[in-house]
Amino acid sequence: DTEVTQTPKHLVMGMTNKKSLKCEQHMGHRAMYWYKQKAKKPPELMFVYSYEKLSINESVPSRFSPECPNSSLLNLHLHALQPEDSALYLCASSPQGFMIQGTLAYEQYFGPGTRLTVT
Amino acid sequence: AQTVTQSQPEMSVQEAETVTLSCTYDTSESDYYLFWYKQPPSRQMILVIRQEAYKQQNATENRFSVNFQKAAKSFSLKISDSQLGDAAMYFCAYSQGGSEKLVFGKGTKLTVNP
């Protein structure tokens, strides 16, 4: 089972609102990711959590705040967003990297995304 | 920095025919992995196939196969017996060994005509 779930599917929020996106996986994966994807563009990495610790932050504005309460759950807290933040937000997870010839490789499995509209 | 280039923004194929999507990449690393992801209009990104750089044998998954040319830094995806459900945006992606980051190409939109 390679299922990553995300809620809500759609979210409309005003620029002064506070909301959260939720991502869950029950596959025992050790890394979880947040991506932002604009229409007809590839996903852009925002954050990576590895063993529940933030390992990568791609210089994302502080109005996006990630949280990893446990190994199965990843949240993205949103506050004071701008209209240009409207996008599809994808969560992904990957199992423990498999060792091949001395290096680790990771396969990422994506959730269905949350379509966010900021008004 | 590594880059991934997909030179075909859009492609179309007749149902039951074969189509090849192109991807080239640039890296100075020797340990890396290449992926093709499919994103149908329903949005969920699905891993189609993976290739390890050290392997000379091309990866295959049912109707999907790759042509991996390491010296040319080329990684094309061949879809045989195309089906309507293959219609999607296809992203080529690169991952350096030991890195959790994926570098994506800009994508190729595939249309399958009945």
Side-chain angles (χ1 to χ4, degrees):
Chain A
D1 184 10
T2 55
E3 185 174 304
V4 177
T5 61
Q6 291 187 244
T7 54
K9 290 186 177 180
H10 300 274
L11 179 62
V12 179
M13 60 185 290
M15 289 189 286
T16 58
N17 291 159
K18 285 185 180 181
K19 296 286 185 182
S20 297
L21 309 185
K22 180 180 174 182
C23 173
E24 278 192 280
Q25 58 86 13
H26 296 285
M27 299 173 282
H29 287 182
R30 41 69 89 215
M32 297 184 76
Y33 311 74
W34 279 116
Y35 287 87
K36 173 183 177 180
Q37 186 179 27
K38 291 283 201 179
K40 298 182 181 181
K41 299 290 186 182
E44 299 172 29
L45 182 64
M46 299 174 72
F47 303 103
V48 180
Y49 273 83
S50 180
Y51 290 105
E52 302 168 45
K53 294 191 187 310
L54 183 65
S55 60
I56 296 175
N57 178 341
E58 293 287 270
S59 302
V60 178
S62 60
R63 56 185 184 271
F64 295 92
S65 176
E67 179 196 18
C68 189
N70 59 58
S71 59
S72 301
L73 184 58
L74 185 67
N75 297 320
L76 186 63
H77 303 297
L78 314 172
H79 173 57
L81 294 193
Q82 303 298 309
E84 59 265 29
D85 296 323
S86 298
L88 181 67
Y89 287 84
L90 295 169
C91 174
S93 69
S94 62
Q96 182 175 352
F98 49 92
M99 184 70 74
I100 297 179
Q101 293 197 320
T103 61
L104 285 171
Y106 302 90
E107 284 185 355
Q108 294 185 28
Y109 297 90
F110 286 81
T114 293
R115 174 71 65 192
L116 174 66
T117 302
V118 181
T119 61
Chain B
Q2 294 87 8
T3 58
V4 176
T5 302
Q6 292 179 251
S7 58
Q8 307 151 317
E10 296 189 22
M11 292 279 286
S12 64
V13 64
Q14 291 297 125
E15 199 176 1
E17 294 189 349
T18 296
V19 64
T20 299
L21 308 183
S22 301
C23 173
T24 58
Y25 59 95
D26 188 23
T27 184
S28 57
E29 302 294 327
S30 58
D31 290 320
Y32 57 88
Y33 306 87
L34 298 164
F35 305 88
W36 278 99
Y37 280 90
K38 167 187 176 182
Q39 189 174 34
S42 62
R43 307 175 312 187
Q44 184 146 13
M45 190 90 73
I46 301 165
L47 176 62
V48 175
I49 202 163
R50 181 190 84 213
Q51 175 78 43
E52 295 89 348
Y54 77 93
K55 284 188 177 178
Q56 293 189 353
Q57 185 174 5
N58 291 325
T60 62
E61 286 288 341
N62 301 313
R63 297 182 296 107
F64 298 87
S65 62
V66 299
N67 183 4
F68 175 49
Q69 300 291 324
K70 190 172 183 178
K73 296 182 181 175
S74 171
F75 181 60
S76 60
L77 176 70
K78 184 171 84 171
I79 307 174
S80 304
D81 186 25
S82 297
Q83 301 175 359
L84 294 176
D86 295 332
M89 184 73 84
Y90 286 81
F91 292 101
C92 178
Y94 165 100
S95 177
Q96 183 177 325
S99 172
E100 294 157 321
K101 289 189 180 183
L102 280 175
V103 178
F104 285 95
K106 291 187 175 182
T108 296
K109 182 181 178 182
L110 178 66
T111 301
V112 181
N113 300 310

